Amino acid sequence: MTTAQLTSPYQHYVYAYPHKTAYRRLPDRPALASLWAAEPKDALSLYLHIPFCEVRCGFCNLFTRIGAPDGLTGAYLDALERQADAVRDALGQEGQVRFATAAFGGGTPTFLTAAELERLCDIAEHRMGADLRAVPLSVEASPATATADRLAVLAERGTTRLSLGVQSFVDSEARAAVRPQRRADVEAALARIRDARVPVLNIDLIYGIDGQTERTWRHSLDAALAWRPEELYLYPLYVRPLTGLGRRGEEGRPDPVWDEQRLRLYRAGRDHLLAHGYTQQSMRMFRRTDAPRQGADDYACQTDGMIGLGCGARSYTSAVHYSFDYAVGMHEIRGIIDGYVTTTDFTRAEVGYRMDGREARRRHLLQSLLQAEGLAADDYRARFGSSPDDDFGPELGRLADRGWLSGTGASGLRLTPEGLAHSDAVGPELFSPAVRAAMAAYARK
């Protein structure tokens, strides 16, 4: 990592470690039954991935395709059923398996019709054994697909959290982010969500869009606050290769002016939400102080015991993280989806990353430090038999020298307010050399 890169606050959004670009083909194709045989299965997380959207936003590098030819969503759900059956068999005896959380993501899960959403819920409940009405269930949606019939299905099936990707309430900014939408349609979708009485509404907003100012950013924040969402996520805009905005420049090229704009807008947004009764959970996540808790926060997708179904989903055991192939380009994504829907054998892990004890320590450190509450030293010591200072003293010392880290490995560690602001630099600083090398060697497609 170069000195120039270290000075940039915006390097990687660390929502999972290792990143999927570090995954490779697993030559032995381990059987899922062997991967899960010795794993605790009494508090699993379940994630179902739907790789379809009505449009693809200019900033999006997620695994998703635009639209679906006739019959493709049905064929995809057929494959999801086959995969669920194979995974459920691999988990073993029914009495030993319990799901503690569930989520539908994408893509846009609400791209599916109301009837198809019923079928998706049936897969989670009847094929996997998750009681959706008894555990937190989070679902992602877009304004155009948050229709009354779809929301009625989700509410009736136990959805406790609905996350709406708005990004901006200013129409010109939405267009600049290649997200065609009108504020009137966004407001109508929010009204339908509130009418559906899903307990937790989350609104996603993005800062750093071309033409955005502190005034227009405050306008979007206030428009969101008018709905009193239980949660708000504030995302910095990234421009990644192979995305609609990718022509802006090469990934990783320093842009101090843009960095300063995003930092300024982040701080303004953070302070505005804190002044309006929200608490900061991470760099991105803010929760209304009186909102009902949903269980694990936004690092839950990194914890061991994650079952991911669908061709863009990851699964995590303590020893192996695995998934299907990954791509950003539309042609490659379509090919992977087409391969998934014709797959008949889902009993083996095909692509992944083998975790050792050192990587497990790094992941625990990352997923703890990137939360506002920080890392509890006793929890770390109980799990690994050592202290964070023992294992990562030099890396932690560099963060402390920059004013980004407070506390000690003996008592507990927490990012300072400036450390939280630089979370997307803190995370990559803690990547292992092996993960960095694998990510650098990844061939974009």
Side-chain angles (χ1 to χ4, degrees), residues 1-215:
M1 190 175 295
T2 69
T3 301
Q5 285 176 310
L6 280 176
T7 61
S8 173
Y10 302 105
Q11 294 169 36
H12 290 288
Y13 170 22
V14 184
Y15 59 87
Y17 179 80
H19 188 270
K20 210 171 179 182
T21 54
Y23 290 15
R24 295 295 184 269
R25 289 282 173 187
L26 297 169
D28 56 338
R29 299 178 64 241
L32 300 189
S34 66
L35 292 180
W36 287 99
E39 296 290 310
K41 294 184 276 287
D42 59 340
L44 297 173
S45 297
L46 179 64
Y47 176 78
L48 276 64
H49 181 260
I50 302 300
F52 306 107
C53 290
E54 71 274 18
V55 296
R56 194 178 198 194
C57 302
F59 52 83
C60 179
N61 69 339
L62 299 178
F63 187 92
T64 187
R65 63 163 290 165
I66 301 170
D70 288 346
L72 182 57
T73 55
Y76 185 84
L77 291 173
D78 290 344
L80 206 61
E81 285 185 345
R82 295 194 298 273
Q83 185 187 7
D85 288 343
V87 171
R88 191 62 189 76
D89 287 346
L91 290 176
Q93 297 180 11
E94 184 171 339
Q96 299 175 351
V97 178
R98 175 184 170 272
F99 289 95
T101 65
F104 302 157
T108 307
T110 48
F111 179 90
L112 300 178
T113 65
E116 288 171 332
L117 285 171
E118 289 275 18
R119 189 177 174 195
L120 186 69
C121 293
D122 285 344
I123 292 170
E125 290 197 333
H126 305 319
R127 303 274 179 164
M128 291 303 300
D131 187 349
L132 298 183
R133 293 179 180 84
V135 303
L137 170 61
S138 178
V139 182
E140 297 172 7
S142 66
T145 61
T147 58
D149 59 339
R150 291 176 170 103
L151 293 170
V153 169
L154 294 175
E156 194 279 328
R157 298 300 292 262
T159 300
T160 55
R161 177 180 183 272
L162 200 292
S163 180
L164 193 72
V166 173
Q167 321 315 348
S168 176
F169 283 86
V170 179
D171 289 353
S172 61
E173 291 178 1
R175 289 193 297 271
V178 195
R179 184 180 178 84
Q181 67 184 25
R182 297 184 307 128
R183 176 172 176 177
D185 297 330
V186 171
E187 300 278 1
L190 287 164
R192 291 192 296 271
I193 293 168
R194 283 310 198 195
D195 287 344
R197 299 188 181 279
V198 175
V200 173
L201 164 65
N202 173 69
I203 297 176
D204 289 343
L205 297 176
I206 284 181
Y207 53 92
I209 301 169
D210 278 348
Q212 192 176 48
T213 66
E214 288 192 51
R215 181 185 62 79

Side-chain angles (χ1 to χ4, degrees), residues 179-386:
R179 184 180 178 84
Q181 67 184 25
R182 297 184 307 128
R183 176 172 176 177
D185 297 330
V186 171
E187 300 278 1
L190 287 164
R192 291 192 296 271
I193 293 168
R194 283 310 198 195
D195 287 344
R197 299 188 181 279
V198 175
V200 173
L201 164 65
N202 173 69
I203 297 176
D204 289 343
L205 297 176
I206 284 181
Y207 53 92
I209 301 169
D210 278 348
Q212 192 176 48
T213 66
E214 288 192 51
R215 181 185 62 79
T216 63
W217 178 227
R218 177 73 65 89
H219 179 79
S220 281
L221 291 166
D222 286 338
L225 288 172
W227 291 96
R228 300 197 74 242
E230 285 72 21
E231 295 176 3
L232 275 159
Y233 271 71
L234 308 185
Y235 289 93
L237 179 66
Y238 274 93
V239 175
R240 298 302 198 195
L242 305 181
T243 63
L245 293 177
R247 293 185 297 276
R248 182 172 185 146
E250 295 180 11
E251 180 184 3
R253 177 180 294 170
D255 188 342
V257 173
W258 194 31
D259 284 349
E260 182 52 40
Q261 180 209 18
R262 286 181 287 179
L263 268 178
R264 186 173 62 253
L265 294 174
Y266 159 80
R267 292 174 179 136
R270 174 198 63 194
D271 294 347
H272 195 58
L273 295 186
L274 293 179
H276 281 77
Y278 287 76
T279 57
Q280 186 169 19
Q281 307 296 310
S282 69
M283 172 185 166
R284 288 165 169 76
M285 183 184 181
F286 296 80
R287 179 184 289 124
R288 210 178 72 209
T289 304
D290 61 347
R293 292 299 298 263
Q294 287 293 292
D297 287 334
D298 58 350
Y299 61 90
C301 63
Q302 293 197 56
T303 55
D304 297 338
M306 164 68 77
I307 298 288
L309 302 180
C311 59
R314 301 169 175 83
S315 296
Y316 303 126
T317 71
S318 58
V320 178
H321 294 189
Y322 63 93
S323 66
F324 295 91
D325 204 1
Y326 172 71
V328 175
M330 293 281 19
H331 177 75
E332 294 288 343
I333 288 175
R334 288 172 180 167
I336 294 170
I337 293 173
D338 290 345
Y340 175 82
V341 300
T342 59
T343 297
T344 57
D345 182 3
F346 287 102
T347 61
R348 295 183 174 274
E350 304 288 345
V351 177
Y353 192 93
R354 291 193 176 276
M355 301 291 290
D356 59 19
R358 186 73 174 172
E359 293 289 20
R361 285 170 163 80
R362 285 189 184 276
R363 191 159 66 99
H364 185 99
L365 182 69
L366 274 163
Q367 69 182 26
S368 300
L369 274 188
L370 296 181
Q371 300 301 304
E373 64 183 13
L375 181 146
D378 289 345
D379 291 346
Y380 187 96
R381 192 175 293 107
R383 181 174 179 183
F384 299 113
S386 57

